Amino acid sequence: MQAFIGIGGIELFFILGALAFLFILPIVALVDVVRSNFRGPNDKVIWVIIIVFLNLIGALLYIFIGRKQRIV
């Protein structure tokens, strides 16, 4: 039995996986920003603004660029 007209089980699985990725990745990035210490005094605020307004693109930017700015 098909859930939607023209969409089978595997397609629905990939669509739901993509939607979960779109919502979960920015949340994980925001949690990481809030729990981390940064070199500059305003870096944390800037990364939160970028992730909130650019959502998935902002989260990906943080993962590839912002994590290098943290104090370990």
Side-chain angles (χ1 to χ4, degrees):
M1 182 173 168
Q2 292 181 342
F4 298 106
I5 298 174
I7 297 179
I10 194 74
E11 291 90 0
L12 186 61
F13 175 75
F14 283 117
I15 291 170
L16 291 176
L19 287 174
F21 180 75
L22 288 173
F23 289 111
I24 292 174
L25 187 64
I27 292 171
V28 170
L30 279 173
V31 169
D32 190 54
V33 167
V34 171
R35 296 181 73 189
S36 298
N37 293 322
F38 290 88
R39 294 181 190 140
N42 296 325
D43 288 349
K44 187 180 285 195
V45 175
I46 291 169
W47 279 114
V48 167
I49 291 170
I50 289 171
I51 293 170
V52 167
F53 286 112
L54 297 179
N55 202 356
L56 182 62
I57 295 170
L60 290 172
L61 285 171
Y62 172 71
I63 289 171
F64 291 115
I65 298 171
R67 290 182 59 113
K68 296 175 186 171
Q69 297 175 349
R70 297 183 308 169
I71 298 173
V72 180

